[in-house]
Amino acid sequence: MVIYEREHDWIMTPQHHHGLLSGHIARHWNPAYIKRTERWSEVIFAIFQHDRAWIDLDETPFWNDGTKEPYSFIDFPLIPKLTFYKKGIDEVERQSPYAGLLCSLHYVSFLVGSKEPAAMEFSRQEKARQHRLMEQLNLFEVHNKDLLKTHFLMVQFCDDLSLYLCIQEPGTPKAEEFPWFKNGFREIFPFTDGHKIIAEWLDSKQVSLRPFPLAFPAAVSIKVKEVMKADIHQWGIEKAYRDTDWKERTFTLK
C-alpha cells in the first residue's frame, strides 16, 4: 500500500493501482526515445504488472501497533513481502518471460546491500532466475544486454514517477516534496544528456517534467481511498478501509 497522512485521514493507494498508473505513463513514452521496438509490448506489460505481487496483500491494509499507523510498502514486514514478491514475479513470467526478468531485476534492486538472511536468499534465488531467463531468451550478447538495461530503467522510472504522484499530496511545494524525488529521479537516459528528469507540481492537477520524456502532454488517473482516522479508531482499519469509497484523481503530465 502507498500511504501518506493528512490531518484527519490516511490516503491509501493499493500498490497494483500504482503499478497500473506506471503502465499508463509508459504508454505515452516518446517513440523517438525507443531504440528498438521488438520487445516493447513486453516492457509495457512488465511496467503495468510490476506490483501485482501486492494484490492480495493490499486487499486489507495492516495496522502497525508499534507506530500507530498503517503499514506501507516501505515498512511492511520483510518475510511475507518477499513471499509475495516471488509469487508476483512467477505470475508475470508465466505470461512473458522477458517481463518476468524485468520484474525480478526490479525487486532485487530494492535489496542491494541488505544483510537480512531472507533478503539475501531471495536475491540469490532471483539471480538464478535471471540467469536462466537470460539464457532462455539469448540476452547475453552485448546489444541485448544494453537493451535490457534500458528497459529496466524504464520500469524504474515509471515506477518512481507513479510513486511521485501517489505518495504525497497533489500540489506539494518543491521544498516539501517526498525526499526520494525532491532532487530529481535517479534514472539517467541518453536523451537527458546526463541530467536527471525533474518533476514539479504546477498545481494540484498538473506536473511539469524536465526534460520531458513523453510524446505529448498526457492525462493519467488513479483511484485512491481517503480513510478517516476517526473511522479507523471506531471500527478498525479493515472495516474503515472497506467502507470508504474510491476517489479518482487525474493528473496532466506536461
Side-chain angles (χ1 to χ4, degrees), residues 143-161:
H143 68 288
N144 286 331
K145 289 174 74 173
D146 287 344
L147 185 65
L148 176 64
K149 182 179 178 181
T150 299
H151 290 162
F152 178 43
L153 282 178
M154 278 286 304
V155 175
Q156 291 187 304
F157 175 79
C158 292
D159 178 38
D160 282 350
L161 178 52

Side-chain angles (χ1 to χ4, degrees), residues 189-248:
F189 295 94
F191 67 86
T192 66
D193 294 324
H195 298 291
K196 292 181 177 181
I197 296 176
I198 306 289
E200 184 170 5
W201 292 97
L202 301 177
D203 54 39
S204 64
K205 295 184 180 298
Q206 298 183 94
V207 173
S208 165
L209 297 172
R210 294 293 179 269
F212 191 63
L214 309 182
F216 43 76
V220 293
S221 299
I222 189 163
K223 290 182 178 179
V224 307
K225 289 198 173 190
E226 301 173 351
V227 184
M228 300 301 297
K229 293 178 179 179
D231 291 344
I232 295 174
H233 179 75
Q234 181 172 3
W235 305 109
I237 193 167
E238 179 181 3
K239 178 174 171 53
Y241 179 80
R242 185 179 66 244
D243 291 351
T244 299
D245 292 333
W246 293 103
K247 291 193 175 182
E248 186 168 77

Side-chain angles (χ1 to χ4, degrees), residues 39 85 87 122 168 214 225:
R39 292 196 180 274
Y85 279 1
K87 178 177 180 288
F122 174 85
Q168 57 195 344
L214 309 182
K225 289 198 173 190

Side-chain angles (χ1 to χ4, degrees), residues 2 4 11 13 18 21 161-168 222:
V2 182
Y4 70 88
I11 309 306
T13 307
H18 138 73
L21 174 59
L161 178 52
S162 176
L163 277 178
Y164 177 91
L165 298 174
C166 297
I167 206 167
Q168 57 195 344
I222 189 163

